[in-house]
Each structure stands twice: as C-alpha cells, then as structure tokens.
Amino acid sequence: MKVHAHDIGVKLSGHPVLSGVDLDVQPGEVVGLLGPNGSGKSTLLRAIYRAVRPYAGTVHLGDLDVWASSPRAVARRSAVLTQDNPTELELTVLDVVLLGRVPHRTLTGRGHREDTALALDCLAQVGASHLEQRMLPTLSGGERQRVMLARALAQQPKVLLLDEPTNHLDIAHQLDLLALVRRLGVTAIIALHDLTLAAAYCDRLVLLNEGRVVTAGPPEQVLTPERVLSVYGVACDVLVHPRTGRLLLALTQTDTPVKESIA
C-alpha cells in the first residue's frame, strides 16, 4: 500500500517540530527515517498513525485520508511499534498479541479461534513462541519488543510503522527483526539511529534535520561523508560490506586523526 504525506507541519507546545515535510513510499517499499535527536523522525511517524495532528498537510494510506478517517479504519490498514512499550499490563503474552486483532473484530466476536491461531503464528515469526503464557511485566525489554512486534503483525497491516524498533534488542535480534520486516513484503517506514543498519535493510532513506527533509533517495546517495558530517557533525568513511555488498559506515569524531596503514 502506498503512503503519501504532503506538506506536513507539526507544532508541539507551540514549537515547530516539522515544517513542509513530504514523504512518498511505494507499495512494498522499506523506507528508513534518519536524523539526529530532535530532527522530527518520531513526530512524522506519529502524524502518520494519528497520534499527533498536523496543523498543515495531509496523510494518505492508499486512498484513505488518515485524519479524515476513524482510528479503527486506520488501524485496519496500519500497525505501529513504538519506542515505549507498556510494562504494566497484567496480561499473558498471547493475550497481548491478540489485542492486535481488535480492529478486525465484529460485534459478534466470531473468529476467536482463527485469531488465536494467527497470534501464535505471529509469535513464531518473531521467535517468541516460548513466551506465550508468560505475563508481560515479567519480560525483559528485548522480549517485550518482540512481543509488541508480534502484536503489530497480528493486525495484518498493509503498512508497518516502526519507531526505533531495535531498541532493547541484542545484535542478533536486531538483525532478525529487520530481516523479518523485509520478508513480510508490506510497506514499512522505520525510524532508525543506526546508519549502517538503515543502509543494509532499507530500500530508500529520508534524512531529516531540524524538522525538514534534507534529502531522500537510495542509501548510497543519502549517506555521503559530506552529508553525514553536515547533519550529524561526525566524520564518516563509507565502505562496502565484504559479505553483503551494502554500505558500511565507519564513524569517528571530527578531530580524530587519520591512522596511517602499515605497509
């Protein structure tokens, strides 16, 4: 499903956070949102999933106008994984994942057996089947993150919105999560801090700074040494990963001397 955000402007407590932001994501595309803290990545995602109302602009999921539609209609098309997951819900993991089926349930409540089968499959996809009967508050941060991703998958979204999804995950699960997102084949928009992960798993990148889009395009066009220095204030050497052929970024402080290689 295509995502189109046009001329988005957002103010928080009267302070401009986004201004004139455009975003176009094609069906099945994985797009990464990059930028330093405060650049507007999370706010742009929130404007797309109806958490923060823009004072200007429009957001469409396919032909659905997000801010002219009900939350239920939006939830039937999109699912969200946020940075801050609830820790106090006294529910089993399976019950938490089943919450993802709420937007699709009818007044009769039919289909519970099918919903349970789907929830179990989603737990398997994220490698969390063994957590099925655990209570949510007993989980580690990484375990909760995988459970919340399973809940998002249970919505069967056509658009997946992920805000720093690798937070709390160890390296192996970071790679597993992003590889899973790619395998799903759904449209995905992911806010990330790790530039190398973004280059490895995203089709295109959108670089934000001070609430505006600096540039957008394939990773090799966006993550140039000059642009990384300008936006992040760090020196960058762009390498090629010896196994994958994707970009590999080596970041250093700007005052770090270049070490000469030994012949």
Side-chain angles (χ1 to χ4, degrees), residues 153-191:
L153 297 182
Q155 284 180 236
Q156 295 183 302
K158 294 180 174 62
V159 177
L160 193 56
L161 306 166
L162 305 115
D163 191 1
E164 296 296 339
T166 55
N167 278 2
H168 310 299
L169 297 180
D170 58 36
I171 295 172
H173 284 113
Q174 288 181 21
L175 301 180
D176 287 345
L177 183 148
L178 294 173
L180 171 61
V181 170
R182 287 206 62 86
R183 289 197 305 272
L184 292 172
V186 301
T187 305
I189 305 174
I190 313 174

Side-chain angles (χ1 to χ4, degrees), residues 3-255:
V3 178
H4 176 65
H6 174 64
D7 197 28
I8 298 298
V10 175
K11 292 181 180 180
L12 299 178
S13 300
H15 176 71
V17 179
L18 293 176
S19 181
V21 171
D22 291 332
L23 178 68
D24 279 296
V25 185
Q26 298 303 311
E29 193 175 30
V30 178
V31 169
L33 302 181
L34 303 180
N37 289 338
S39 60
K41 302 185 300 296
S42 295
T43 301
L44 179 55
L45 284 178
R46 290 174 184 143
I48 295 172
Y49 65 78
R50 285 185 55 95
V52 173
R53 181 181 285 274
Y55 70 83
T58 57
V59 180
H60 284 83
L61 303 178
D63 59 358
L64 184 75
D65 185 331
V66 166
W67 286 101
S69 304
S70 68
R72 183 183 179 92
V74 174
R76 284 178 169 176
R77 296 196 177 198
S78 63
V80 182
L81 180 63
T82 63
Q83 294 184 49
D84 302 316
N85 294 320
T87 60
E88 71 285 352
L89 292 177
E90 290 293 337
L91 296 173
T92 67
V93 163
L94 179 58
D95 286 336
V96 170
V97 178
L98 281 169
L99 291 175
R101 300 304 301 155
V102 170
H104 301 281
R105 285 180 181 164
T106 63
L107 292 176
T108 63
R110 291 178 181 174
H112 181 72
R113 182 177 299 175
E114 292 80 1
D115 286 348
T116 300
L118 176 61
L120 292 172
D121 180 64
C122 292
L123 281 170
Q125 287 187 66
V126 302
S129 295
H130 62 292
L131 302 174
E132 173 192 341
Q133 294 303 321
R134 287 273 300 276
M135 300 299 292
L136 186 68
T138 70
L139 303 183
S140 69
E143 289 170 335
R144 279 197 304 273
Q145 192 78 333
R146 284 187 281 155
V147 169
M148 292 305 167
L149 177 59
R151 183 181 70 170
L153 297 182
Q155 284 180 236
Q156 295 183 302
K158 294 180 174 62
V159 177
L160 193 56
L161 306 166
L162 305 115
D163 191 1
E164 296 296 339
T166 55
N167 278 2
H168 310 299
L169 297 180
D170 58 36
I171 295 172
H173 284 113
Q174 288 181 21
L175 301 180
D176 287 345
L177 183 148
L178 294 173
L180 171 61
V181 170
R182 287 206 62 86
R183 289 197 305 272
L184 292 172
V186 301
T187 305
I189 305 174
I190 313 174
L192 288 165
H193 274 303
D194 191 308
L195 304 186
T196 294
L197 283 179
Y201 288 97
C202 296
D203 300 308
R204 285 192 306 117
L205 303 175
V206 177
L207 181 60
L208 294 157
N209 194 28
E210 297 181 348
R212 294 182 179 272
V213 175
V214 175
T215 189
E220 61 272 15
Q221 293 182 14
V222 172
L223 295 175
T224 65
E226 297 78 15
R227 196 163 284 124
V228 171
L229 177 61
S230 173
V231 172
Y232 289 94
V234 296
C236 172
D237 290 289
V238 180
L239 312 172
V240 177
H241 196 291
R243 295 192 181 188
T244 66
R246 302 300 293 260
L247 297 189
L248 186 65
L249 278 70
L251 306 175
T252 57
Q253 294 176 307
T254 54
D255 58 354

